[in-house]
Amino acid sequence: MAKRFPPKTVLALIAASLLAGPALLPAQAADAPAAQAQKIPELKYERFTLPNGLTVVVHEDHKAPVVAVSVWYHVGSSYEPKGKTGFAHLFEHLMFQGSENHKDEYFKPFELAGATDQNGTTWLDRTNYFETVPTTALDMALWMESDRMGHLLGAIGQKELDEQRGVVQNEKRQGENEPYGRVSELIQAEAFPANHPYHHDTIGSMADLNAASLGDVKQWFKDYYGAANTVVVLAGDITPAQAKEKMLKYFGDIGAGPAVPRPQVWVTPRQKSTRGSMTDNVAQTRIYREWNVPSRTDVELNQLQLAAAVLGGGKTSRLYQRLVYKDKLADDVSVDIEQHVLASLFELQVDVKKGADPARVEAAVADEWAKFLKDGPTADELERVKTGIRAAFVRGLERVNTQASILAEGQLYQGDPGAYLKDFDTLMAATPASVKTSANRWIAKGDYTVTVTPGKVEDTDFATYAGRPAQPGKPMDELSAKGEYTIVKSPVDRTKGVPEVTQFPSLTFPTLQHGKLANGIEVILAERHEVPATQVQLMFDSGYAADQGRKLGTSSFTMAMLDEGTKDLDSVEIAKREQRLGAQIGSGCGLDACNVSLNALNDKLEPSLALFADIVRNPAFRTDDVSRLRGQWLARIAQEKSQPIGIALRTLPPLLYGEGHAYAIPFTGSGTVPSITALDAHDMRRFMGDFIRPDNVRILVAGDTTLDRIIPQLNKVFGDWKPGAGKVPAKNLAKVASPDASRVYLIDRPGAQQSLILAGGLAPSTRVDNNLAIETMNGAFGGTFTSRLNMNLREDKHWAYGAYSFMPDALGQRPFLMYAPVQTDKTAPSAQQILAEARGVAGKHPLSAEEIAKIKEGDVRSLPGEYQTTSAVMGALEDIALYDRPDNWIQTEKARIQALKDPQVQAAANEVVRPDHLTWVIVGDLKKIEAPVRALNLGKVQVLDADGKPVK
């Protein structure tokens, strides 16, 4: 529910995506008009304020019958006094515990109404709650949001506080149990003085969470959750007139709340460099470096965003070129900005290559940094980054929840929902000289460096770490503006409960169209004309399962090599051309298919397709490129083996399927160290010849095009593609019997704060006739927030941050898995509860009619909101093609769900959930968990290493 690391501003998110890799760095073509690059779509809005001070922003978007409701409270962890760290986030959790007029789980009415994109997040400067609902469910959503804003305290007691305290503490354990999971707390403590509001992390300390009293949390609500401290954005299928009527009706009687003391901007840059170190359960050394830089409301931060992208934004960036390509000292490097109101953090991160000297890495970074500070970015670098920001923004606007977030951030932080336009104008107006000036002002000195090395996990709560000493000069808090606020009597009778949603909008999904290229390749098109861009995907029948009889990891490694060089282009030139064309090109594999995808702006579709086809048809597999990617790949495998879920997903599938099966592989698809070490260009060319061929592909297209336009364009680049000799190899998807009895495999992770429990068996293929019944059963048992597993281990026992069951889709038998990361001392009791739930649903506690109806109704009613984006439509095309479904599969889904009978769903539970034939993989600190787990007598127990090999 609550996220520890919530999203940043939209422009920061775009910048982060830019820094993630060159495929996400689309740029304007050199010959496009400069004026075109200066434009982004404007989100038209109307803003009004209720008499009680609540600010409302409305944006109309009628493409789908849904409305995004986004409620932003102007309070975050920076408002917490000493000794009360974690309060803002803890209170966010309590907001989901029900209210005075809805004394039940907050999510229930939303699940029944088919809500999507629902969550709550806390960050340093704000707390937000959001959901996207069918238009006809808007009254329900506004009733629910207003009831917890105006009528919460009577519903919060000691029981609710203790429950969510436990959940939050397990969220903290879960985050810190991940590799590098505690670094952010250390960096924040060292970045800001002890008397700075940002000195502590949002999650807080265990001690402060334990000390939180009922009086404390109720006072927090009274101080900060008033109407005048809130912004509500409604974006989607709504008009301003409707919004005014509904907002006044539901929120008008809520008190404004007191004036809020606001912390003020205090950047506190350091004058000299400082250092620290940490050991952790990690696979490789990682270097972090941080500078304090201006507030997110300071236009100078836009200059630094551009500097960050040039320095560390993917393959073409300065540091990637130097550390990864030239000096071969690192597997990855990135530069990003974490934006906040009082100050921001400019952050460098380097994954040091195994065997490389970290001192040499730092020397190379210092050399490139000095060059950048001396000369600044080139005009070409800056133009590519600018255009990337524009293109990413244009593509990101399809989802109404994103639109709402953009407008809410502008209003909350700058008093202007359209602030993003001003930020964008500042970015576009930046010059090499202006970026250089800002870089020299802010990132030329005063860095803090921390090096994390493999070693023992320190038994320290870094939320209590002393860090940087207090500094003089802290500005006084300033009270928020005091207004003449009044409340308006509401016509709503809340004693009648949540408004019932009785009508639901119909789904709109494009009719699929079919065509063929000159060489017989099938093309499937779904038209979407909201954004001037087209997505193309080549889907090959292959996947991880095609590794059978080959070196494990061949499929995914080969596909990752495609954009590392063609016969005529090296990887850097490919990345630069993608940028100049504004194209996103990616490739990868799943269990049963591999794909190569293109997202192109329509005005550059033909040259983008030419580059796309060159990457697919002419991979070079040069020795240097293979060697570089191999090093990064081996580092990835090592990282997987240091992550609890990575260990489990590598280990469990071979145990479930048995030796020789195509699915008896690490489900990460990365292979093994010996197989990747031995993989060579011959292996990859053989895979290409067997599977990546025109007689084994379907081309899926979604976006702003027509069949008459796209077929000639595809013919031009793929119509003359001819298959090689031989046939496409068959994959072994033979049926596997369940084990005679349950088995337990333990994997040691010394010092782990939590144990990861993964238990399961094999379910039928996604293609079986009763797949819908199986999916519905899973939703009720463990697939939703209010499902049995999560309500037991999270909400009732609060031993876990979340507990779920899931089934990865597959052409063959697919795994049915029950998943729960739990606190270490509750490992055995949690396994006992999981087993009890499994026995119950397949035995004396079958699914009730109410449980089944909840899933069916939620699935039907969420359909109109599921396909807001072209990417979502493409995802549906993939499923239809891969599982040989009829073209009207999405349009007929409602009828198929409604026709499903309860006995069919229960029969699916009896078929899939087999409690006496489970395979358990439990990853944790064996010194603490082995004896209690053995005492449960779940089955024969064996200890494995992280490679799945027996230890004892």
Side-chain angles (χ1 to χ4, degrees):
M1 179 180 71
K3 293 181 180 175
R4 184 172 174 193
F5 302 116
K8 310 167 192 173
T9 66
V10 174
L11 287 178
L13 276 173
I14 293 170
S17 71
L18 293 175
L19 300 174
L24 297 180
L25 263 169
Q28 175 202 6
D31 59 350
Q36 182 180 347
Q38 301 295 324
K39 294 180 181 178
I40 55 174
E42 182 178 354
L43 297 171
K44 302 287 187 181
Y45 66 87
E46 185 168 324
R47 175 179 54 185
F48 57 90
T49 303
L50 299 185
N52 59 5
L54 191 150
T55 301
V56 184
V57 181
V58 186
H59 167 67
E60 293 188 63
D61 183 340
H62 300 286
K63 71 173 179 292
V66 295
V67 180
V69 179
S70 201
V71 183
W72 292 56
Y73 294 90
H74 202 160
V75 61
S77 58
S78 63
Y79 289 69
E80 296 164 349
K82 185 176 177 62
K84 300 190 187 303
T85 63
F87 264 52
H89 178 229
L90 175 61
F91 194 83
E92 176 220 314
H93 276 247
L94 288 168
M95 285 280 279
F96 286 92
Q97 287 300 102
S99 51
E100 292 171 2
N101 301 293
H102 175 70
K103 296 180 179 179
D104 202 347
E105 288 292 333
Y106 189 81
F107 287 100
K108 279 190 177 179
F110 290 93
E111 289 181 346
L112 288 170
T116 55
D117 291 331
Q118 186 173 21
N119 211 328
T121 72
T122 307
W123 206 209
L124 303 186
D125 307 301
R126 58 99 184 118
T127 309
N128 67 353
Y129 306 86
F130 48 89
E131 57 271 335
T132 299
V133 296
T135 307
T136 52
L138 180 58
D139 282 88
M140 179 277 292
L142 296 180
W143 188 99
M144 290 290 291
E145 288 288 1
S146 61
D147 206 59
R148 64 176 172 182
M149 181 191 290
H151 310 274
L152 184 80
L153 293 185
I156 299 298
Q158 192 64 44
K159 175 180 176 292
E160 288 77 18
L161 173 59
D162 291 342
E163 175 187 311
Q164 290 308 308
R165 188 201 325 267
V167 171
V168 168
Q169 289 178 330
N170 272 302
E171 181 181 357
K172 178 178 170 72
R173 293 185 185 103
Q174 185 170 324
E176 295 178 2
N177 200 41
E178 291 296 315
Y180 313 102
R182 300 177 304 155
V183 178
S184 63
E185 290 178 312
L186 174 61
I187 290 176
Q188 208 166 314
E190 289 287 2
F192 299 106
N195 57 334
H196 196 288
Y198 288 172
H199 182 73
H200 67 275
D201 184 80
T202 299
I203 200 75
S205 73
M206 286 293 191
D208 286 354
L209 290 169
N210 281 327
S213 71
L214 192 58
D216 289 333
V217 297
K218 288 190 174 185
Q219 191 61 47
W220 185 267
F221 176 79
K222 294 174 184 176
D223 289 343
Y224 298 112
Y225 274 65
N229 198 41
T230 310
V231 172
V232 176
V233 179
L234 304 177
D237 187 23
I238 187 171
T239 66
Q242 292 170 327
K244 287 177 182 178
E245 182 270 325
K246 292 180 185 297
M247 289 300 298
L248 188 64
K249 174 181 176 180
Y250 291 109
F251 290 86
D253 65 339
I254 298 173
V260 174
R262 297 245 184 268
Q264 298 301 297
V265 171
W266 193 27
V267 181
T268 65
R270 291 171 292 264
Q271 298 306 307
K272 61 180 182 179
S273 298
T274 56
R275 305 185 66 88
S277 63
M278 175 190 286
T279 58
D280 198 1
N281 194 343
V282 297
Q284 66 187 126
T285 297
R286 179 177 287 176
I287 298 170
Y288 295 85
R289 184 166 291 169
E290 180 274 333
W291 291 258
N292 289 17
V293 295
S295 163
R296 68 190 306 159
T297 63
D298 190 323
V299 294
E300 193 163 21
L301 198 66
N302 295 318
Q303 309 286 335
L304 294 173
Q305 279 190 305
L306 297 170
V310 172
L311 283 166
K315 286 182 180 179
T316 62
S317 69
R318 301 276 185 95
L319 290 173
Y320 200 99
Q321 285 289 301
R322 175 68 180 271
L323 296 175
V324 179
Y325 276 94
K326 182 181 177 184
D327 293 353
K328 298 179 174 58
L329 294 171
D331 292 315
D332 196 16
V333 57
S334 64
V335 181
D336 196 2
I337 301 179
E338 187 178 292
Q339 298 188 17
H340 301 293
V341 172
L342 310 185
S344 301
L345 294 88
F346 192 99
E347 296 176 315
L348 161 73
Q349 179 179 306
V350 185
D351 287 345
V352 179
K353 185 177 284 293
K354 187 175 182 179
D357 182 358
R360 286 189 62 202
V361 173
E362 291 198 36
V365 169
D367 184 43
E368 289 301 322
W369 216 264
K371 291 175 183 176
F372 183 82
L373 293 173
K374 177 177 179 292
D375 300 324
T378 66
D380 177 63
E381 286 174 320
L382 212 53
E383 190 59 33
R384 285 188 279 119
V385 170
K386 285 181 183 181
T387 313
I389 291 175
R390 172 187 169 267
F393 188 90
V394 170
R395 287 189 174 106
L397 284 182
E398 288 183 284
R399 191 175 290 276
V400 290
N401 185 51
T402 303
Q403 298 168 3
S405 295
I406 294 169
L407 297 171
E409 287 181 335
Q411 176 61 40
L412 195 78
Y413 300 131
Q414 300 185 52
D416 178 10
Y420 69 97
L421 291 170
K422 297 174 184 175
D423 283 335
F424 185 81
D425 288 344
T426 305
L427 282 162
M428 295 302 110
T431 65
S434 66
V435 173
K436 176 187 170 185
T437 298
S438 292
N440 276 280
R441 182 179 293 120
W442 291 104
I443 59 171
K445 63 179 180 180
D447 58 280
Y448 169 68
T449 301
V450 59
T451 303
V452 184
T453 54
K456 183 180 179 181
V457 179
E458 299 178 40
D459 188 17
T460 301
D461 184 350
F462 278 92
T464 64
Y465 182 76
R468 189 177 171 188
Q471 302 288 316
K474 178 185 177 183
M476 295 290 291
D477 292 353
E478 294 184 9
L479 281 177
S480 59
K482 193 172 184 179
E484 297 297 325
Y485 302 124
T486 60
I487 60 173
V488 177
K489 183 177 175 63
S490 173
V492 177
D493 181 359
R494 293 188 180 270
T495 64
K496 294 182 178 178
V498 185
E500 189 177 355
V501 185
T502 57
Q503 293 182 319
F504 294 89
S506 299
L507 167 72
T508 300
F509 191 85
T511 300
L512 302 192
Q513 302 169 59
H514 292 260
K516 282 194 175 182
L517 302 190
N519 56 357
I521 296 178
E522 182 184 8
V523 178
I524 308 173
L525 168 66
E527 292 186 28
R528 283 288 296 256
H529 300 287
E530 287 79 11
V531 175
T534 300
Q535 295 186 27
V536 179
Q537 182 177 136
L538 273 62
M539 177 184 284
F540 300 91
D541 182 2
S542 49
Y544 305 152
D547 286 350
Q548 187 181 33
R550 303 168 195 268
K551 295 161 185 171
L552 292 186
T554 296
S555 57
S556 52
F557 192 97
T558 301
M559 298 307 286
M561 279 296 302
L562 295 187
D563 67 353
E564 293 294 337
T566 69
K567 293 175 182 177
D568 299 321
L569 306 175
D570 64 22
S571 60
V572 177
E573 182 59 29
I574 288 174
K576 287 181 177 179
R577 292 194 182 192
E578 287 181 49
Q579 292 174 327
R580 293 185 180 116
L581 289 168
Q584 299 177 347
I585 297 175
S587 56
C589 295
L591 197 56
D592 295 301
C594 293
N595 61 72
V596 193
S597 60
L598 166 70
N599 188 328
L601 301 176
N602 276 2
D603 60 347
K604 294 297 174 185
L605 180 56
E606 291 204 11
S608 297
L609 281 169
L611 178 63
F612 180 59
D614 190 30
I615 288 171
V616 174
R617 298 179 61 177
N618 302 304
F621 302 126
R622 295 184 183 90
T623 302
D624 285 350
D625 294 325
V626 173
S627 178
R628 174 172 43 79
L629 187 63
R630 191 197 319 276
Q632 294 171 315
W633 207 269
L634 294 173
R636 168 186 162 185
I637 292 174
Q639 294 280 14
E640 289 172 1
K641 293 196 291 186
S642 69
Q643 299 164 345
I645 189 62
I647 294 169
L649 290 177
R650 292 183 63 81
T651 306
L652 183 57
L655 299 172
L656 288 175
Y657 290 99
E659 188 175 353
H661 195 282
Y663 292 170
I665 54 174
F667 267 21
T668 58
S670 55
T672 65
V673 170
S675 65
I676 296 300
T677 302
L679 194 65
D680 59 24
H682 172 75
D683 298 316
M684 288 181 270
R685 293 192 186 284
R686 177 172 161 249
F687 177 83
M688 293 288 293
D690 284 346
F691 291 103
I692 310 305
R693 45 193 286 171
D695 56 348
N696 191 44
V697 68
R698 278 175 281 191
I699 300 181
L700 314 178
V701 183
D704 187 21
T705 189
T706 65
L707 206 59
D708 288 342
R709 286 208 308 264
I710 197 66
I711 291 291
Q713 292 170 322
L714 291 171
N715 251 327
K716 187 175 179 181
V717 294
F718 290 115
D720 62 347
W721 190 14
K722 294 180 173 54
K727 294 182 178 180
V728 177
K731 294 176 288 188
N732 169 26
L733 300 180
K735 188 171 182 179
V736 178
S738 297
D740 294 334
S742 292
R743 308 167 293 173
V744 182
Y745 298 93
L746 302 178
I747 301 173
D748 194 17
R749 196 168 185 270
Q753 297 186 51
Q754 283 191 323
S755 300
L756 184 133
I757 301 174
L758 203 60
L762 295 180
S765 163
T766 301
R767 292 198 294 191
V768 295
D769 291 341
N770 69 333
N771 179 63
L772 188 55
I774 293 172
E775 295 282 0
T776 303
M777 176 278 297
N778 181 65
F781 177 68
T784 60
F785 185 89
T786 59
S787 64
R788 290 187 179 186
L789 279 179
N790 194 57
M791 295 303 289
N792 183 335
L793 290 179
R794 173 183 163 128
E795 298 297 281
D796 181 29
K797 306 294 190 306
H798 43 83
W799 295 342
Y801 177 47
Y804 297 96
S805 61
F806 60 99
M807 291 178 290
D809 286 323
L811 290 172
Q813 288 168 286
R814 53 183 170 158
F816 167 74
L817 302 174
M818 295 172 283
Y819 158 87
V822 301
Q823 60 194 70
T824 297
D825 63 338
K826 300 300 182 184
T827 303
S830 296
Q832 201 167 30
Q833 288 298 313
I834 291 170
L835 180 60
E837 292 290 358
R839 289 194 191 284
V841 78
K844 295 182 178 180
H845 189 198
L847 293 171
S848 67
E850 182 183 4
E851 287 176 299
I852 295 170
K854 179 192 67 173
I855 300 302
K856 289 173 60 179
E857 290 171 7
D859 286 349
V860 166
R861 295 166 183 176
S862 65
L863 286 172
E866 293 286 353
Y867 302 103
Q868 297 177 54
T869 67
T870 304
S871 293
V873 172
M874 177 60 83
L877 278 184
E878 292 175 41
D879 285 349
I880 288 170
L882 184 58
Y883 301 114
D884 295 323
R885 291 168 170 166
D887 283 359
N888 64 350
W889 183 258
I890 302 299
Q891 292 91 330
T892 59
E893 189 166 3
K894 176 180 177 179
R896 285 183 284 108
I897 293 172
Q898 291 176 332
L900 195 61
K901 305 299 182 185
D902 290 2
Q904 294 173 287
V905 179
Q906 184 56 46
N910 298 338
E911 178 185 9
V912 172
V913 185
R914 307 190 66 194
D916 295 322
H917 303 273
L918 295 173
T919 299
W920 298 77
V921 171
I922 303 177
V923 183
D925 189 337
L926 254 57
K927 289 181 180 178
K928 297 178 181 178
I929 69 170
E930 183 174 2
V933 170
R934 286 184 180 274
L936 291 177
N937 293 317
L938 297 174
K940 182 180 178 181
V941 178
Q942 187 164 23
V943 178
L944 306 177
D945 63 18
D947 289 311
K949 307 294 185 187
V951 173
K952 61 179 179 179

